[in-house]
Amino acid sequence: DQQVKQNSPSLSVQEGRISILNCDYTNSMFDYFLWYKKYPAEGPTFLISISSIKDKNEDGRFTVFLNKSAKHLSLHIVPSQPGDSAVYFCAASRSFNKFYFGSGTKLNVKP
Amino acid sequence: EAQVTQNPRYLITVTGKKLTVTCSQNMNHEYMSWYRQDPGLGLRQIYYSMNVEVTDKGDVPEGYKVSRKEKRNFPLILESPSPNQTSLYFCASSSIPWGSARQETQYFGPGTRLLVL
């Protein structure tokens, strides 16, 4: 059973608007969460992370929100750019040993 | 340049023929890990290592072996590959965030696409 789920396989957004990618998890013991971006034929690259002691972390156009009571994680990209078009994976870990990834959301930012 | 390298990048083999995929990192990272990516399933962790001579199973370890004799290398071994191990494999490495406020992430290699006939 998947412990980290991304229920939207794809998302299409107009350039300049906000992209919101969602992720749900089942294990309340997870204490570290990450978002990765992946282009075709490349390895995933790190975007942003958040530890369970926080509920928000911001880095430029990217903000991650953590709602522990709902076991929900979201990534906001504002403003969205065509170069943001990629597959986005959320991941979770407990004490930084095993990592669990979602199945990914393919974001398409239209010019 | 800080990087994780994997070899080979592409491999076609036959059922039962032992193979090794190498992974090397030049960042002096303690943590290394192997993942496989399959359509609709995302990335699933196969094995990970917290340091030299310390390895542990991830979510899908069956049919795989690893070793960590040196800090920089973490090879993935398929003793008797089967068609269900056809997949895209990624190696990753990271420092370990010993403090709760410290942020670390895994750096991924470019991937190895394996086809087992």
Side-chain angles (χ1 to χ4, degrees), chain B residues 11 13-21 46-47 61-67 69 75-85 89 114 116:
Chain B
L11 180 59
T13 189
V14 294
T15 298
K17 186 176 181 182
K18 180 180 179 179
L19 67 92
T20 299
V21 184
I46 303 171
Y47 269 95
E62 294 79 20
Y64 304 94
K65 282 176 57 177
V66 293
S67 68
K69 293 185 171 54
L76 179 69
I77 303 155
L78 284 72
E79 294 269 2
S80 183
S82 62
N84 64 13
Q85 292 178 297
Y89 291 87
L114 172 65
V116 183

Side-chain angles (χ1 to χ4, degrees), chain A residues 14-63:
Chain A
Q14 204 67 39
E15 180 180 6
R17 306 294 290 268
I18 184 171
S19 294
I20 300 176
L21 295 96
N22 294 302
C23 180
D24 296 298
Y25 62 95
T26 57
N27 190 340
S28 58
M29 300 301 289
F30 287 146
D31 56 12
Y32 196 61
F33 304 87
L34 310 95
W35 284 95
Y36 287 86
K37 178 167 75 172
K38 186 180 181 305
Y39 294 117
E42 294 182 11
T45 55
F46 170 74
L47 264 181
I48 193 167
S49 64
I50 188 168
S51 78
S52 58
I53 62 172
K54 296 184 175 182
D55 53 21
K56 177 182 174 182
N57 190 25
E58 209 168 338
D59 184 1
R61 296 186 297 115
F62 303 93
T63 303

